[in-house]
Amino acid sequence: MSFIERVLGRAKEQGGAEYPARRRIVRRPSEAQSQVVARNFTRIALDPEVVGANNVLLKANDEMAVRAYKVARTRLLKRMAANNWQTVAITSAAPGDGKSLTAINLSLALALNTGTRVFLVDVDLQRPAIARYLGLTKSPDLGDYLAGEARLEQ
């Protein structure tokens, strides 16, 4: 008999339920949050060869890496819910630390979670890399939008 089976047996003998009831935390959105209307953006097609070569875990064979990002996603979602956060930034002190790849793979893991909307923005104005990792052609980047040279409809 395993440790867990013994503990469950003891709890049952003491009159406890076989599985304890979970507390559910209900948060009501603020007035500003309830007025936000989600916008549908154009879907893009990714080249599986390019994303695979760049270690993007779209359909990865490395089950351990996929699992690690799912664990990170779950922990992040719990922390976000506990603090009522709706935005996440991935940053580091030096170039080449893996910010872009981490942001992409974490975004993919978050997008797999039902009811979670993900909007990935590469705010590295000096060395933007998200589009390159995903094999996307040059399109307006954040700098173009900030300079007024592009609009969201593009």
Side-chain angles (χ1 to χ4, degrees), residues 72-91:
R73 169 201 65 195
T74 302
R75 289 180 179 175
L76 178 63
L77 286 172
K78 285 182 180 181
R79 175 95 29 112
M80 289 176 71
N83 293 296
N84 203 21
W85 295 339
Q86 296 191 8
T87 306
V88 175
I90 308 293
T91 187

Side-chain angles (χ1 to χ4, degrees), residues 39-53:
R39 178 175 175 182
N40 290 324
F41 289 93
T42 306
R43 292 181 183 260
I44 55 172
L46 301 177
D47 184 353
E49 289 182 24
V50 173
V51 295

Side-chain angles (χ1 to χ4, degrees), residues 68-146:
Y69 277 105
K70 287 182 178 180
V71 168
R73 169 201 65 195
T74 302
R75 289 180 179 175
L76 178 63
L77 286 172
K78 285 182 180 181
R79 175 95 29 112
M80 289 176 71
N83 293 296
N84 203 21
W85 295 339
Q86 296 191 8
T87 306
V88 175
I90 308 293
T91 187
S92 75
D97 285 343
K99 297 177 292 289
S100 297
L101 189 59
T102 299
I104 292 168
N105 286 327
L106 190 56
S107 295
L108 291 170
L110 285 164
L112 292 174
N113 191 46
T114 306
T116 302
R117 293 181 188 256
V118 179
F119 188 68
L120 178 62
V121 179
D122 191 348
V123 296
D124 188 339
L125 298 176
Q126 292 179 339
R127 291 175 296 282
I130 301 282
R132 188 181 75 244
Y133 274 104
L134 297 175
L136 301 175
T137 58
K138 174 73 173 128
S139 61
D141 60 20
L142 183 61
D144 296 330
Y145 291 104
L146 293 176

